[in-house]
Amino acid sequence: MSSKPKRRQHYVPRFYLEGFRDGERQINIYNLLRQKAIRSASLRDQCYAHRFYGKEEPMEDYLSSLESFSAPALHAVTRSLSVPPTGSDQRFGLFVFLALQLLRTPAAAGKVNKSIDKTMKAAYSQDPRFSGTLDSVMIGYDNPVLASLGHLRDCLLSVLDLHIHLVVAPGGRRFITSDNPAFKYNQYCEGIKGIGVNGTLCRGLQVFLPVSPHTYLIFYDHAVYRAGTVRRPDVSLATNSDIEMLNSVQVVA
């Protein structure tokens, strides 16, 4: 007998959201578009879309296997308040999760179709067959997230050389997350216009990723930035201003 079709396909894993839960199966959320706080919402009903990865099951099964590999790594960070050592399976698991979250969200899918639309319209802008019609249509894939995930291997390989720094929230303060939790930035290239500076191979890349209400990971280009202290280069305690800044990142993500 075949298994039940997986129509509810999460783009942020449930195991990750459970780290931010309020109650056994509930989570507090804030809807930015509606400007409405919703307490004790169903955790199961967050960050999913119907057939987000298409009608075929293999992609969902493949992603589930990668989640099973990376979940222990995130749990270990929260439990031990430390970064897994270089070369360990758990450290690799963090990078697997990071690469997945950079590619699998609606925001990532939207960037794919935006790029396709812009490229195709530029290519055919002078074609008389499409005179006056291109601006009235949107050109893209039916399932752009699959095109995005097609770059998973390259994305993973390109982030493996980033260093990892763990930020721990002080007592009474909490980190928040969002439906697009992995946020890329490049402080080193601030002010540069006309070219992309947030690609995973760009010098100065930073990626911000909350792990739980009390732990937050920052992946960064060690050739450009330094973090922590000589005695504790991998872990630091957040200040109140750190909490505000890191939480604001999730709001604009």
Side-chain angles (χ1 to χ4, degrees), residues 87-178:
S88 65
D89 286 346
Q90 287 188 343
R91 192 180 184 95
F92 185 65
L94 294 180
F95 285 111
V96 169
F97 184 81
L98 176 68
L100 279 174
Q101 286 311 127
L102 287 174
L103 298 174
R104 70 185 294 185
T105 63
K111 289 179 181 178
V112 169
N113 269 357
K114 183 177 180 179
S115 177
I116 293 295
D117 183 67
K118 184 177 180 179
T119 300
M120 295 300 292
K121 287 177 178 177
Y124 289 98
S125 61
Q126 303 302 318
D127 192 321
R129 295 175 298 173
F130 303 102
S131 178
T133 63
L134 286 178
D135 290 339
S136 64
V137 298
M138 175 70 183
I139 304 172
Y141 296 111
D142 289 335
N143 297 109
V145 70
L146 298 181
S148 180
L149 285 169
H151 299 284
L152 178 58
R153 177 180 178 274
D154 292 335
C155 180
L156 176 57
L157 291 175
S158 64
V159 298
L160 283 176
D161 64 341
L162 296 176
H163 280 226
I164 307 176
H165 187 79
L166 173 64
V167 182
V168 180
R173 299 304 305 270
R174 297 167 65 90
F175 295 118
I176 64 173
T177 191
S178 69

Side-chain angles (χ1 to χ4, degrees), residues 4-23:
K4 185 178 180 180
K6 301 174 183 177
R7 297 186 178 91
R8 297 164 59 95
Q9 299 176 345
H10 287 78
Y11 47 85
V12 178
R14 285 180 61 184
F15 86 81
Y16 171 81
L17 294 175
E18 284 173 357
F20 295 85
R21 69 176 183 259
D22 176 44

